[in-house]
């Protein structure tokens, strides 16, 4: 099973091949979003909208064998690509691993250069929501 660290390292390597080209990077993020499996309509509810995102982002979490499984979607291509990176990193990890994760990939790939302040705030809100879900899943395990 891949660790949060190793998945981030893979993402950094993938983005490294783009040599910091902003247009190619944005295109790649959008391509990643297009590959994200569609979130079933039953989860595209107001309760699953991530607060603090300019775009609509739906995030759903379940547990499978002690690991958190995230599903997500967005109404914009770039935001969908961003949330797909988080889903890739944090899905199939334990709640403790998610809560203790050091998410550094976005700094290493220079994400702040191409997403702007508003999306940066939304990205932070996505991370926070994923951590809240992990905390809720941890509480269920410890009951």
């Amino acid at each position: 099973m891949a660790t949060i660290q190793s998945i981030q390292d893979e993402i950094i390597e993938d983005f490294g091949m783009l040599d910091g080209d902003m247009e190619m990077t944005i295109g790649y993020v959008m391509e990643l979003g297009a590959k994200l499996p569609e979130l079933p309509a039953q989860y595209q509810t107001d309760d699953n909208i991530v607060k603090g995102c300019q775009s609509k982002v739906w995030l759903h979490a379940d547990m499978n064998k002690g690991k958190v499984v995230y599903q997500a979607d967005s109404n914009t291509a770039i935001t969908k690509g961003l949330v797909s990176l988080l889903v890739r990193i944090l899905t199939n990890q334990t709640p403790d691993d998610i809560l203790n994760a050091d998410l550094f990939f976005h700094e290493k790939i220079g994400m702040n250069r191409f997403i702007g302040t508003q999306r940066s705030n939304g990205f932070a809100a996505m991370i926070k929501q994923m951590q809240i879900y992990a905390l809720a899943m941890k509480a269920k395990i410890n009951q």
Side-chain angles (χ1 to χ4, degrees), residues 71-138:
Q71 293 174 284
D73 205 345
S74 178
N75 65 340
T76 64
I78 292 175
T79 305
K80 189 171 181 174
L82 296 175
V83 77
S84 77
L85 289 167
L86 292 172
V87 168
R88 177 177 166 189
I89 293 166
L90 298 176
T91 285
N92 292 319
Q93 305 294 335
T94 66
D96 279 336
D97 286 345
I98 293 166
L99 292 169
N100 296 318
D102 174 21
L103 296 176
F104 57 83
F105 77 96
H106 55 285
E107 293 169 7
K108 299 280 187 184
I109 65 173
M111 198 171 80
N112 58 344
R113 290 183 309 120
F114 65 87
I115 67 169
T117 305
Q118 195 64 32
R119 280 206 182 95
S120 289
N121 293 339
F123 188 73
M126 290 180 227
I127 294 170
K128 182 179 176 184
Q129 187 62 49
M130 293 175 107
Q131 291 171 328
I132 290 169
Y133 281 140
L135 191 59
M137 299 296 173
K138 180 179 177 175

